[in-house]
Amino acid sequence: MSVDSLIEGRQASPPHHLRRPGLLVSLMVAPGVLVLVLFMILPLLWVVRVSFYETAQGTTMVPAWVLDQYVRFLADIWYLRNVVWLSVFVSIVSTAITVLLAYPIAMYVARATGLRRQILQTLVLAPLLIGLVSLVFGWIVILRGGGLFNSLIIWLGFVDAPIRLLYAMPAVYILLIYVGIPYVVMTLLDNFERIEPTLLEAAANAGAGGWRIFASIILPLTLPGLNAGVLVLFALNFSAFAIPLMVGSANTNLIGLVVYKQAMQLGNLPFAAAISVIMVAISAAILVIYSRLMQRFFLWRLGV
Amino acid sequence: MTNSIRQTFYRASLNTLTYALLFFLFFPIAVTIFVSFNSSGFLLPPQGFTLEWYERAWSMTQFRRGVFVSLMLGIGSALLANALAFPISLALVRHNFRGKAALNVFVMSPLLVPTTIIGLALYVFLMNIGLGGGFVTLLIGHVMMVIPFAVRILTASLSIFDRSLEEAARNAGASLIRSFFSITLPVLKTGFIASMMICFIISWNDFAISIFLASSKWTPLPIQIYSHIQFQYDAVSAAVVSSVIFLSIFAIVVIDRIAGLQKILSQNAGN
Amino acid sequence: MTGKKISLNGISKRYGDFVAVSDMSLTVEPGEFVSFLGPSGCGKTTTLRMIAGFIMPDSGALKIGDVEVTYLPPNKRDLSFVFQNYALWPHMTVAENIGFGPKLAGLSRADIDKRIRDALSLTALSGLESRFPRQLSGGQQQRVAVARALALGRSVLLMDEPLSNLDRKLRVDMRKELKELQRRLNITTVYVTHDQEEALSMSDRVAVMDRGRIASLAVPEEIYRNPPNEFVASFVGGVNYFNGTLRHVDSSRSFFIADDGLEFHITRRENTPEGTVRLMTRPEWIVLRSGEDKGLNTHPVTVDFIEYLGASRKVSATTETGRKLLIQVHDVDPMSIEVGDRLTFHIAAQNMMLIK
């Protein structure tokens, strides 16, 4: 038993030696699960606990069971309008644009074959593994006051003076969309691959033209992937903090960024904790509503 | 006739749109690399090729220190995550037990929680238990973040592993342990390499978790770059960023060759 | 190496409700070649894997030579195994694959090299030592798998459908080669296959398996010519059945009247009962003749359908009594047959076999 059975996984001794596979499995998964419980689950629970703390003299934590932090956030119209509503708006708009741009790319990549496909696919997915800081840096070069974009539009005569893109909302949008495209392409590629070419041939044989095939066959069949992409991306965008932190301004206080600022710049941990709980709740609520609507209007047809 | 003209038109528009978008995806990266080799830096027109920015960048102690910290973190978290993930993958692939599906979701859970919250939670919790602000703090954060990837990749390579290779070794007289080390591990080598590399590169490039957990002594390279470009904006930073990009591209190509980028990444998005 | 006896005594294995192997007993004599033949799911591979120790039986006892090995781990058993997919270790060269076992056995470097050389020359693989498995053709990989098994120098060889991944031509060549090798080395062999030709051509005895049991265990000729039951009869070849009544005429002959009235004189065998019986005959044992040919065991027939198979033709025909017959006509027969032809068929007296 012991090490032998750990590796083997199959019954390796007679049945009358009563064996306990449960024990072996426990031994194998114990270290990983323990680490995850200790450094994922406990910290998350701890955040929830801390969100009920009081704060004295600005930021000192005082253990308690009060709703002060929640009330402070939810009763303040400034937070509701300039943080919550802004986050909802920005994440919905950026997700929508991302999906619109990613869809044709995914379709194009899925159509390619052989080496071309391989290269295109690697190119599209590569930004997922290139660090955020590196990607942001390139955009700073392009978007800043004296940067490429402004130089271009001034040279073309569209404007006289540089317009403010960096450290403002446009840069936040551009980067959210930019970072989101590979995610959505990736989820869509799986779906495109699963469409049997014979389905399209059958549609063409039935007399459907290009648009008709797209609207009646391709789009419905890729809807589940699109949907998955939307769900993931919305959740990512809604809680985004790194992008508004790096390229945003005081006017781009997305809710994730507010969590970060409260915790790391203002040191108000209970308040940050409460806001992050609220953030998860809102995000979950929107995703549930979205899923219900999708189910109601589109997906039931596909049996998803 | 008109139909085929229309089709050609649609196809051409799709191609144009896609290439425009691919350009959009790669332009920022290309610009950064271009600036890093341009002797006039940001100033146009380009004045010629130079390695000066790289020399200057890598003579700066904060970047050297950042590389050191990031390497330690990347290697450390890749090793630890794989050590924790391998027995879990083995259990998931080779054993049937109650709660298997739940375990699968559980080990993927770090991917489901927004990084903002993981960062905040670890920051608050580790400070509370007196582990704040050191290398270990960062290492824990990075391990949490990469464990799901390690489990995914190792599970995938274990499930295509042909068990008869082990049986053949046993038949040849090998003990279970011997067959594990002489056959199982070497055959799974590429899976391990892919898993290690993806863990390393995710850790190497991480910003979101690190910014919560970094301290002045232990600052990973991405945070170092971020604090540099906040105040100083020069071609030297382009050189550092380009170096980071080159390492990432190298890793991407290797991972793609041995395991297939889409396979590895989309499995995680499947959740 | 000399072969050892293998004894299975009441071996059973079930998976949940599914009985894979049921109370199986069998003795394979030293140096003997026994095949397990049967459809998938009949328990043949499960039995083989229990002998190898990859699966432990729920009950029963297993001996190799005089040593009880029932619950011994696979690395403690005096046998070698050839896998259906060859299971060559992809990270080792041909020589390393073959030398792995001898090295584990603690042989000296010189002895290991000798084992490798011998195994390679036995399987005609010399010169491929430093190739990796992926650089070999399917047939070469198959030979390496055999060489690796032989290099272990064990007394028993177990093979699990080792030829099923090869082209037909190569498969036919290899079975002759394997059989010669086995005879030369005198190694006790258990061979699992679903291909009856393979089992019949290579084995000293064939065990036809059905639903976890041995349906018949006998020499190939006996299995084919005189199968004990319908399952065995139809698994190893084509077959025509006749229900009817049997009466003994004298000490060497019996008389048979089929249900539809066709009459046959058949050779009387030991222990043949009188009364209601079931007989079988193989398609190639029936002879087709032209025209009005009359005589003993000869009856008129009409051709319904002809399948041309190259070496032979498979003819479906109907008798005047409405009985459907399957007849195989070899191509040496110059007679041309066409659908609709009215012919006669003849079955020799020794070619009708009693079946249970």
Side-chain angles (χ1 to χ4, degrees), chain C residues 240-293:
Chain C
N240 297 291
Y241 295 111
F242 299 83
N243 292 323
T245 316
L246 188 72
R247 211 159 33 76
H248 295 321
V249 177
D250 56 37
S251 62
S252 63
R253 288 177 301 160
S254 305
F255 184 69
F256 176 77
I257 302 178
D259 288 346
D260 56 353
L262 292 180
E263 296 177 355
F264 297 95
H265 291 266
I266 73 168
T267 308
R268 178 173 175 180
R269 292 189 181 76
E270 276 174 59
N271 306 325
T272 311
E274 285 186 299
T276 308
V277 296
R278 191 162 164 75
L279 301 182
M280 66 139 255
T281 191
R282 300 268 178 213
E284 67 274 20
W285 298 345
I286 305 179
V287 181
L288 270 185
R289 289 171 179 164
S290 57
E292 298 300 306
D293 210 0

Short mmCIF file of all heavy atoms in Angstrom, two decimals, chain C residues 240-293:
data_model
loop_
_atom_site.label_atom_id
_atom_site.label_comp_id
_atom_site.label_asym_id
_atom_site.label_seq_id
_atom_site.Cartn_x
_atom_site.Cartn_y
_atom_site.Cartn_z
N ASN C 240 -23.24 -24.25 -41.22
CA ASN C 240 -24.63 -24.59 -41.53
C ASN C 240 -25.13 -25.57 -40.48
O ASN C 240 -24.42 -26.52 -40.14
CB ASN C 240 -24.73 -25.26 -42.90
CG ASN C 240 -24.30 -24.34 -44.02
OD1 ASN C 240 -24.96 -23.36 -44.33
ND2 ASN C 240 -23.16 -24.66 -44.62
N TYR C 241 -26.33 -25.33 -39.96
CA TYR C 241 -26.87 -26.22 -38.93
C TYR C 241 -28.02 -27.05 -39.51
O TYR C 241 -28.76 -26.59 -40.38
CB TYR C 241 -27.40 -25.42 -37.74
CG TYR C 241 -26.32 -24.68 -37.00
CD1 TYR C 241 -26.26 -23.30 -37.04
CD2 TYR C 241 -25.38 -25.38 -36.24
CE1 TYR C 241 -25.27 -22.62 -36.35
CE2 TYR C 241 -24.38 -24.71 -35.55
CZ TYR C 241 -24.33 -23.33 -35.61
OH TYR C 241 -23.36 -22.67 -34.94
N PHE C 242 -28.15 -28.28 -39.00
CA PHE C 242 -29.27 -29.16 -39.37
C PHE C 242 -29.88 -29.73 -38.11
O PHE C 242 -29.18 -30.42 -37.35
CB PHE C 242 -28.80 -30.33 -40.23
CG PHE C 242 -28.18 -29.92 -41.54
CD1 PHE C 242 -26.83 -29.54 -41.59
CD2 PHE C 242 -28.92 -29.94 -42.71
CE1 PHE C 242 -26.26 -29.18 -42.80
CE2 PHE C 242 -28.34 -29.56 -43.92
CZ PHE C 242 -27.01 -29.18 -43.96
N ASN C 243 -31.17 -29.45 -37.86
CA ASN C 243 -31.87 -30.12 -36.77
C ASN C 243 -32.57 -31.35 -37.35
O ASN C 243 -33.07 -31.29 -38.47
CB ASN C 243 -32.92 -29.21 -36.14
CG ASN C 243 -32.27 -28.05 -35.40
OD1 ASN C 243 -31.23 -28.25 -34.77
ND2 ASN C 243 -32.87 -26.89 -35.51
N GLY C 244 -32.57 -32.45 -36.58
CA GLY C 244 -33.23 -33.64 -37.11
C GLY C 244 -33.11 -34.83 -36.18
O GLY C 244 -32.81 -34.67 -35.00
N THR C 245 -33.33 -36.00 -36.75
CA THR C 245 -33.32 -37.21 -35.94
C THR C 245 -32.22 -38.15 -36.42
O THR C 245 -32.01 -38.32 -37.62
CB THR C 245 -34.68 -37.95 -36.05
OG1 THR C 245 -35.71 -36.97 -35.95
CG2 THR C 245 -34.83 -38.98 -34.96
N LEU C 246 -31.50 -38.74 -35.45
CA LEU C 246 -30.36 -39.58 -35.78
C LEU C 246 -30.67 -41.01 -35.35
O LEU C 246 -31.22 -41.26 -34.28
CB LEU C 246 -29.13 -39.06 -35.04
CG LEU C 246 -27.80 -39.70 -35.41
CD1 LEU C 246 -27.36 -39.26 -36.80
CD2 LEU C 246 -26.74 -39.33 -34.39
N ARG C 247 -30.30 -41.95 -36.21
CA ARG C 247 -30.48 -43.37 -35.89
C ARG C 247 -29.21 -44.11 -36.29
O ARG C 247 -28.63 -43.82 -37.33
CB ARG C 247 -31.68 -43.92 -36.69
CG ARG C 247 -32.47 -45.03 -36.05
CD ARG C 247 -33.89 -45.14 -36.66
NE ARG C 247 -33.98 -44.80 -38.07
CZ ARG C 247 -33.56 -45.60 -39.07
NH1 ARG C 247 -33.01 -46.77 -38.83
NH2 ARG C 247 -33.72 -45.20 -40.32
N HIS C 248 -28.73 -45.02 -35.43
CA HIS C 248 -27.51 -45.76 -35.78
C HIS C 248 -27.87 -46.89 -36.71
O HIS C 248 -28.84 -47.59 -36.49
CB HIS C 248 -26.85 -46.31 -34.51
CG HIS C 248 -26.36 -45.20 -33.61
ND1 HIS C 248 -25.78 -44.05 -34.08
CD2 HIS C 248 -26.38 -45.08 -32.27
CE1 HIS C 248 -25.47 -43.27 -33.08
NE2 HIS C 248 -25.84 -43.87 -31.95
N VAL C 249 -27.08 -47.08 -37.73
CA VAL C 249 -27.30 -48.16 -38.69
C VAL C 249 -26.48 -49.38 -38.27
O VAL C 249 -27.00 -50.45 -38.09
CB VAL C 249 -26.94 -47.73 -40.12
CG1 VAL C 249 -27.10 -48.89 -41.10
CG2 VAL C 249 -27.78 -46.53 -40.53
N ASP C 250 -25.18 -49.17 -38.12
CA ASP C 250 -24.31 -50.22 -37.60
C ASP C 250 -23.19 -49.58 -36.81
O ASP C 250 -23.28 -48.40 -36.49
CB ASP C 250 -23.79 -51.11 -38.74
CG ASP C 250 -23.09 -50.30 -39.80
OD1 ASP C 250 -22.39 -49.31 -39.43
OD2 ASP C 250 -23.23 -50.59 -41.00
N SER C 251 -22.11 -50.31 -36.53
CA SER C 251 -21.07 -49.80 -35.65
C SER C 251 -20.33 -48.62 -36.28
O SER C 251 -19.68 -47.85 -35.59
CB SER C 251 -20.08 -50.90 -35.31
OG SER C 251 -19.48 -51.34 -36.52
N SER C 252 -20.42 -48.40 -37.60
CA SER C 252 -19.63 -47.33 -38.21
C SER C 252 -20.50 -46.27 -38.89
O SER C 252 -20.00 -45.25 -39.33
CB SER C 252 -18.65 -47.91 -39.22
OG SER C 252 -19.37 -48.53 -40.26
N ARG C 253 -21.80 -46.50 -39.01
CA ARG C 253 -22.63 -45.55 -39.73
C ARG C 253 -23.89 -45.19 -38.96
O ARG C 253 -24.41 -46.00 -38.19
CB ARG C 253 -23.02 -46.10 -41.11
CG ARG C 253 -21.88 -46.16 -42.11
CD ARG C 253 -22.33 -46.77 -43.40
NE ARG C 253 -22.84 -48.13 -43.21
CZ ARG C 253 -23.64 -48.76 -44.06
NH1 ARG C 253 -24.03 -48.14 -45.15
NH2 ARG C 253 -24.06 -49.98 -43.82
N SER C 254 -24.35 -43.95 -39.21
CA SER C 254 -25.64 -43.53 -38.66
C SER C 254 -26.45 -42.93 -39.79
O SER C 254 -25.92 -42.58 -40.85
CB SER C 254 -25.46 -42.47 -37.57
OG SER C 254 -24.60 -42.91 -36.57
N PHE C 255 -27.76 -42.84 -39.57
CA PHE C 255 -28.65 -42.26 -40.58
C PHE C 255 -29.36 -41.06 -39.98
O PHE C 255 -29.85 -41.09 -38.86
CB PHE C 255 -29.67 -43.31 -41.03
CG PHE C 255 -30.56 -42.83 -42.14
CD1 PHE C 255 -30.03 -42.60 -43.42
CD2 PHE C 255 -31.91 -42.59 -41.90
CE1 PHE C 255 -30.85 -42.15 -44.43
CE2 PHE C 255 -32.72 -42.13 -42.93
CZ PHE C 255 -32.19 -41.92 -44.19
N PHE C 256 -29.39 -39.95 -40.74
CA PHE C 256 -29.92 -38.69 -40.22
C PHE C 256 -31.02 -38.18 -41.13
O PHE C 256 -30.85 -38.10 -42.35
CB PHE C 256 -28.79 -37.68 -40.11
CG PHE C 256 -29.23 -36.32 -39.67
CD1 PHE C 256 -29.52 -36.07 -38.33
CD2 PHE C 256 -29.36 -35.27 -40.58
CE1 PHE C 256 -29.93 -34.81 -37.91
CE2 PHE C 256 -29.76 -34.00 -40.16
CZ PHE C 256 -30.05 -33.79 -38.82
N ILE C 257 -32.18 -37.85 -40.56
CA ILE C 257 -33.23 -37.19 -41.32
C ILE C 257 -33.43 -35.80 -40.73
O ILE C 257 -33.78 -35.65 -39.55
CB ILE C 257 -34.57 -37.94 -41.27
CG1 ILE C 257 -34.37 -39.37 -41.79
CG2 ILE C 257 -35.64 -37.22 -42.10
CD1 ILE C 257 -35.64 -40.18 -41.72
N ALA C 258 -33.20 -34.79 -41.56
CA ALA C 258 -33.37 -33.42 -41.08
C ALA C 258 -34.86 -33.09 -40.98
O ALA C 258 -35.69 -33.80 -41.54
CB ALA C 258 -32.68 -32.45 -42.03
N ASP C 259 -35.18 -31.99 -40.27
CA ASP C 259 -36.58 -31.58 -40.07
C ASP C 259 -37.32 -31.43 -41.39
O ASP C 259 -38.51 -31.67 -41.48
CB ASP C 259 -36.63 -30.23 -39.33
CG ASP C 259 -36.22 -30.40 -37.89
OD1 ASP C 259 -36.18 -31.56 -37.43
OD2 ASP C 259 -35.95 -29.37 -37.22
N ASP C 260 -36.59 -30.97 -42.43
CA ASP C 260 -37.24 -30.70 -43.70
C ASP C 260 -37.24 -31.93 -44.62
O ASP C 260 -37.58 -31.83 -45.78
CB ASP C 260 -36.56 -29.52 -44.39
CG ASP C 260 -35.07 -29.75 -44.57
OD1 ASP C 260 -34.57 -30.76 -44.03
OD2 ASP C 260 -34.42 -28.93 -45.23
N GLY C 261 -36.78 -33.06 -44.08
CA GLY C 261 -36.86 -34.29 -44.85
C GLY C 261 -35.60 -34.71 -45.57
O GLY C 261 -35.53 -35.80 -46.12
N LEU C 262 -34.59 -33.84 -45.65
CA LEU C 262 -33.33 -34.21 -46.31
C LEU C 262 -32.68 -35.35 -45.53
O LEU C 262 -32.64 -35.33 -44.30
CB LEU C 262 -32.39 -33.02 -46.38
CG LEU C 262 -32.80 -31.86 -47.29
CD1 LEU C 262 -31.75 -30.77 -47.26
CD2 LEU C 262 -33.01 -32.34 -48.71
N GLU C 263 -32.14 -36.33 -46.28
CA GLU C 263 -31.55 -37.50 -45.62
C GLU C 263 -30.05 -37.55 -45.84
O GLU C 263 -29.56 -37.24 -46.93
CB GLU C 263 -32.19 -38.77 -46.20
CG GLU C 263 -33.67 -38.87 -45.90
CD GLU C 263 -34.30 -40.09 -46.54
OE1 GLU C 263 -33.60 -40.80 -47.30
OE2 GLU C 263 -35.51 -40.30 -46.30
N PHE C 264 -29.34 -37.95 -44.80
CA PHE C 264 -27.88 -38.05 -44.90
C PHE C 264 -27.40 -39.30 -44.18
O PHE C 264 -27.93 -39.66 -43.13
CB PHE C 264 -27.20 -36.84 -44.25
CG PHE C 264 -27.53 -35.53 -44.91
CD1 PHE C 264 -28.55 -34.73 -44.43
CD2 PHE C 264 -26.82 -35.10 -46.03
CE1 PHE C 264 -28.87 -33.52 -45.03
CE2 PHE C 264 -27.12 -33.90 -46.64
CZ PHE C 264 -28.14 -33.10 -46.14
N HIS C 265 -26.40 -39.95 -44.80
CA HIS C 265 -25.69 -41.00 -44.08
C HIS C 265 -24.47 -40.35 -43.44
O HIS C 265 -23.75 -39.62 -44.12
CB HIS C 265 -25.24 -42.09 -45.05
CG HIS C 265 -26.39 -42.87 -45.59
ND1 HIS C 265 -26.82 -44.04 -45.02
CD2 HIS C 265 -27.24 -42.61 -46.62
CE1 HIS C 265 -27.87 -44.50 -45.69
NE2 HIS C 265 -28.16 -43.63 -46.67
N ILE C 266 -24.27 -40.57 -42.14
CA ILE C 266 -23.10 -39.94 -41.53
C ILE C 266 -22.28 -40.97 -40.75
O ILE C 266 -22.80 -42.01 -40.34
CB ILE C 266 -23.48 -38.75 -40.62
CG1 ILE C 266 -24.11 -39.22 -39.33
CG2 ILE C 266 -24.38 -37.77 -41.34
CD1 ILE C 266 -24.23 -38.11 -38.32
N THR C 267 -21.00 -40.67 -40.60
CA THR C 267 -20.08 -41.55 -39.89
C THR C 267 -20.48 -41.61 -38.41
O THR C 267 -20.70 -40.56 -37.79
CB THR C 267 -18.64 -41.03 -40.02
OG1 THR C 267 -18.39 -40.82 -41.40
CG2 THR C 267 -17.65 -42.03 -39.45
N ARG C 268 -20.56 -42.78 -37.86
CA ARG C 268 -20.93 -42.91 -36.45
C ARG C 268 -19.71 -42.67 -35.58
O ARG C 268 -18.64 -43.21 -35.82
CB ARG C 268 -21.51 -44.30 -36.18
CG ARG C 268 -21.86 -44.48 -34.71
CD ARG C 268 -22.57 -45.76 -34.46
NE ARG C 268 -22.77 -45.93 -33.02
CZ ARG C 268 -23.37 -46.96 -32.47
NH1 ARG C 268 -23.83 -47.95 -33.24
NH2 ARG C 268 -23.52 -47.05 -31.17
N ARG C 269 -19.86 -41.87 -34.60
CA ARG C 269 -18.75 -41.60 -33.67
C ARG C 269 -19.10 -42.10 -32.28
O ARG C 269 -20.26 -42.37 -31.97
CB ARG C 269 -18.46 -40.11 -33.64
CG ARG C 269 -17.87 -39.61 -34.94
CD ARG C 269 -17.39 -38.17 -34.81
NE ARG C 269 -16.85 -37.74 -36.10
CZ ARG C 269 -17.58 -37.41 -37.14
NH1 ARG C 269 -18.89 -37.47 -37.06
NH2 ARG C 269 -17.02 -37.04 -38.27
N GLU C 270 -18.05 -42.18 -31.47
CA GLU C 270 -18.26 -42.64 -30.09
C GLU C 270 -19.20 -41.70 -29.35
O GLU C 270 -19.20 -40.49 -29.59
CB GLU C 270 -16.92 -42.64 -29.34
CG GLU C 270 -16.09 -43.91 -29.56
CD GLU C 270 -14.75 -43.77 -28.92
OE1 GLU C 270 -14.72 -43.55 -27.69
OE2 GLU C 270 -13.73 -43.82 -29.65
N ASN C 271 -19.96 -42.26 -28.44
CA ASN C 271 -20.82 -41.48 -27.55
C ASN C 271 -21.86 -40.65 -28.28
O ASN C 271 -22.31 -39.63 -27.75
CB ASN C 271 -20.00 -40.55 -26.65
CG ASN C 271 -18.95 -41.31 -25.88
OD1 ASN C 271 -19.17 -42.46 -25.49
ND2 ASN C 271 -17.81 -40.67 -25.69
N THR C 272 -22.18 -41.03 -29.51
CA THR C 272 -23.22 -40.26 -30.20
C THR C 272 -24.58 -40.83 -29.81
O THR C 272 -24.80 -42.02 -29.97
CB THR C 272 -23.04 -40.36 -31.73
OG1 THR C 272 -21.69 -40.08 -32.03
CG2 THR C 272 -23.95 -39.39 -32.44
N PRO C 273 -25.47 -39.97 -29.30
CA PRO C 273 -26.78 -40.46 -28.90
C PRO C 273 -27.69 -40.63 -30.12
O PRO C 273 -27.44 -40.03 -31.17
CB PRO C 273 -27.31 -39.36 -27.98
CG PRO C 273 -26.65 -38.12 -28.47
CD PRO C 273 -25.33 -38.51 -29.08
N GLU C 274 -28.75 -41.40 -29.97
CA GLU C 274 -29.77 -41.47 -31.00
C GLU C 274 -30.88 -40.48 -30.63
O GLU C 274 -30.91 -39.95 -29.54
CB GLU C 274 -30.34 -42.89 -31.09
CG GLU C 274 -29.39 -43.85 -31.78
CD GLU C 274 -30.01 -45.21 -32.01
OE1 GLU C 274 -30.39 -45.85 -31.01
OE2 GLU C 274 -30.13 -45.60 -33.18
N GLY C 275 -31.76 -40.23 -31.60
CA GLY C 275 -32.89 -39.35 -31.31
C GLY C 275 -32.69 -37.97 -31.90
O GLY C 275 -32.00 -37.80 -32.90
N THR C 276 -33.33 -36.97 -31.26
CA THR C 276 -33.26 -35.59 -31.78
C THR C 276 -31.87 -35.01 -31.55
O THR C 276 -31.40 -34.98 -30.41
CB THR C 276 -34.31 -34.71 -31.08
OG1 THR C 276 -35.57 -35.37 -31.19
CG2 THR C 276 -34.37 -33.34 -31.69
N VAL C 277 -31.23 -34.58 -32.61
CA VAL C 277 -29.88 -34.01 -32.49
C VAL C 277 -29.74 -32.80 -33.39
O VAL C 277 -30.64 -32.45 -34.17
CB VAL C 277 -28.79 -35.04 -32.90
CG1 VAL C 277 -28.77 -36.23 -31.96
CG2 VAL C 277 -28.98 -35.45 -34.34
N ARG C 278 -28.58 -32.13 -33.26
CA ARG C 278 -28.26 -30.96 -34.08
C ARG C 278 -26.90 -31.24 -34.71
O ARG C 278 -25.94 -31.60 -34.01
CB ARG C 278 -28.20 -29.75 -33.16
CG ARG C 278 -28.13 -28.41 -33.83
CD ARG C 278 -28.54 -27.38 -32.77
NE ARG C 278 -28.20 -26.02 -33.13
CZ ARG C 278 -28.85 -25.31 -34.04
NH1 ARG C 278 -29.84 -25.86 -34.70
NH2 ARG C 278 -28.51 -24.08 -34.28
N LEU C 279 -26.81 -31.09 -36.03
CA LEU C 279 -25.54 -31.31 -36.73
C LEU C 279 -25.07 -30.01 -37.35
O LEU C 279 -25.86 -29.10 -37.59
CB LEU C 279 -25.71 -32.37 -37.83
CG LEU C 279 -26.20 -33.75 -37.41
CD1 LEU C 279 -26.25 -34.66 -38.64
CD2 LEU C 279 -25.30 -34.34 -36.33
N MET C 280 -23.76 -29.95 -37.63
CA MET C 280 -23.25 -28.78 -38.34
C MET C 280 -22.31 -29.23 -39.44
O MET C 280 -21.71 -30.31 -39.36
CB MET C 280 -22.52 -27.84 -37.39
CG MET C 280 -21.24 -28.41 -36.79
SD MET C 280 -19.92 -27.20 -36.71
CE MET C 280 -18.86 -27.67 -38.00
N THR C 281 -22.21 -28.37 -40.44
CA THR C 281 -21.19 -28.60 -41.46
C THR C 281 -20.66 -27.25 -41.91
O THR C 281 -21.37 -26.24 -41.88
CB THR C 281 -21.76 -29.42 -42.63
OG1 THR C 281 -20.67 -29.83 -43.46
CG2 THR C 281 -22.75 -28.62 -43.45
N ARG C 282 -19.37 -27.21 -42.28
CA ARG C 282 -18.76 -25.94 -42.71
C ARG C 282 -19.04 -25.69 -44.19
O ARG C 282 -19.13 -26.66 -44.97
CB ARG C 282 -17.25 -26.02 -42.50
CG ARG C 282 -16.82 -26.25 -41.05
CD ARG C 282 -16.58 -24.94 -40.36
NE ARG C 282 -16.23 -25.14 -38.95
CZ ARG C 282 -16.57 -24.29 -37.99
NH1 ARG C 282 -17.30 -23.22 -38.28
NH2 ARG C 282 -16.21 -24.50 -36.75
N PRO C 283 -19.13 -24.43 -44.62
CA PRO C 283 -19.42 -24.11 -46.02
C PRO C 283 -18.45 -24.79 -46.99
O PRO C 283 -18.85 -25.20 -48.07
CB PRO C 283 -19.29 -22.59 -46.08
CG PRO C 283 -19.55 -22.13 -44.70
CD PRO C 283 -19.05 -23.23 -43.79
N GLU C 284 -17.17 -24.91 -46.60
CA GLU C 284 -16.19 -25.47 -47.53
C GLU C 284 -16.20 -27.00 -47.54
O GLU C 284 -15.49 -27.62 -48.30
CB GLU C 284 -14.79 -24.93 -47.23
CG GLU C 284 -14.19 -25.37 -45.91
CD GLU C 284 -14.60 -24.50 -44.74
OE1 GLU C 284 -15.63 -23.79 -44.85
OE2 GLU C 284 -13.91 -24.53 -43.71
N TRP C 285 -17.00 -27.60 -46.62
CA TRP C 285 -17.11 -29.06 -46.64
C TRP C 285 -18.20 -29.53 -47.59
O TRP C 285 -18.36 -30.71 -47.85
CB TRP C 285 -17.43 -29.60 -45.23
CG TRP C 285 -16.36 -29.30 -44.21
CD1 TRP C 285 -15.10 -28.90 -44.46
CD2 TRP C 285 -16.49 -29.42 -42.80
NE1 TRP C 285 -14.41 -28.74 -43.29
CE2 TRP C 285 -15.24 -29.04 -42.24
CE3 TRP C 285 -17.53 -29.78 -41.95
CZ2 TRP C 285 -15.01 -29.02 -40.88
CZ3 TRP C 285 -17.30 -29.76 -40.58
CH2 TRP C 285 -16.05 -29.39 -40.04
N ILE C 286 -18.99 -28.60 -48.08
CA ILE C 286 -20.07 -28.95 -48.99
C ILE C 286 -19.55 -28.85 -50.43
O ILE C 286 -18.88 -27.89 -50.77
CB ILE C 286 -21.27 -27.99 -48.82
CG1 ILE C 286 -21.73 -27.99 -47.36
CG2 ILE C 286 -22.42 -28.40 -49.75
CD1 ILE C 286 -22.89 -27.06 -47.08
N VAL C 287 -19.83 -29.86 -51.21
CA VAL C 287 -19.36 -29.87 -52.59
C VAL C 287 -20.54 -29.61 -53.52
O VAL C 287 -21.59 -30.23 -53.40
CB VAL C 287 -18.73 -31.24 -52.94
CG1 VAL C 287 -18.21 -31.23 -54.37
CG2 VAL C 287 -17.63 -31.57 -51.94
N LEU C 288 -20.38 -28.66 -54.43
CA LEU C 288 -21.42 -28.36 -55.41
C LEU C 288 -21.15 -29.16 -56.67
O LEU C 288 -20.01 -29.23 -57.14
CB LEU C 288 -21.42 -26.87 -55.75
CG LEU C 288 -22.30 -25.95 -54.92
CD1 LEU C 288 -22.23 -24.54 -55.51
CD2 LEU C 288 -23.74 -26.44 -54.87
N ARG C 289 -22.18 -29.75 -57.22
CA ARG C 289 -22.01 -30.49 -58.47
C ARG C 289 -23.06 -30.04 -59.46
O ARG C 289 -24.13 -29.57 -59.09
CB ARG C 289 -22.16 -31.99 -58.22
CG ARG C 289 -20.99 -32.55 -57.46
CD ARG C 289 -21.28 -33.97 -57.04
NE ARG C 289 -20.14 -34.52 -56.33
CZ ARG C 289 -20.22 -35.60 -55.59
NH1 ARG C 289 -21.36 -36.24 -55.47
NH2 ARG C 289 -19.15 -36.05 -54.97
N SER C 290 -22.73 -30.23 -60.75
CA SER C 290 -23.66 -29.74 -61.76
C SER C 290 -24.74 -30.78 -62.06
O SER C 290 -24.57 -31.95 -61.78
CB SER C 290 -22.90 -29.40 -63.04
OG SER C 290 -22.21 -30.55 -63.46
N GLY C 291 -25.81 -30.32 -62.62
CA GLY C 291 -26.84 -31.15 -63.22
C GLY C 291 -27.57 -32.10 -62.31
O GLY C 291 -27.84 -31.82 -61.15
N GLU C 292 -27.85 -33.27 -62.90
CA GLU C 292 -28.79 -34.19 -62.29
C GLU C 292 -28.07 -35.21 -61.42
O GLU C 292 -28.57 -36.29 -61.23
CB GLU C 292 -29.58 -34.91 -63.39
CG GLU C 292 -30.41 -33.96 -64.25
CD GLU C 292 -31.43 -33.19 -63.41
OE1 GLU C 292 -32.23 -33.83 -62.70
OE2 GLU C 292 -31.41 -31.93 -63.44
N ASP C 293 -26.90 -34.91 -60.99
CA ASP C 293 -26.11 -35.83 -60.20
C ASP C 293 -26.91 -36.37 -59.03
O ASP C 293 -27.44 -35.63 -58.22
CB ASP C 293 -24.85 -35.11 -59.69
CG ASP C 293 -23.71 -36.08 -59.52
OD1 ASP C 293 -23.93 -37.28 -59.79
OD2 ASP C 293 -22.62 -35.64 -59.13
#
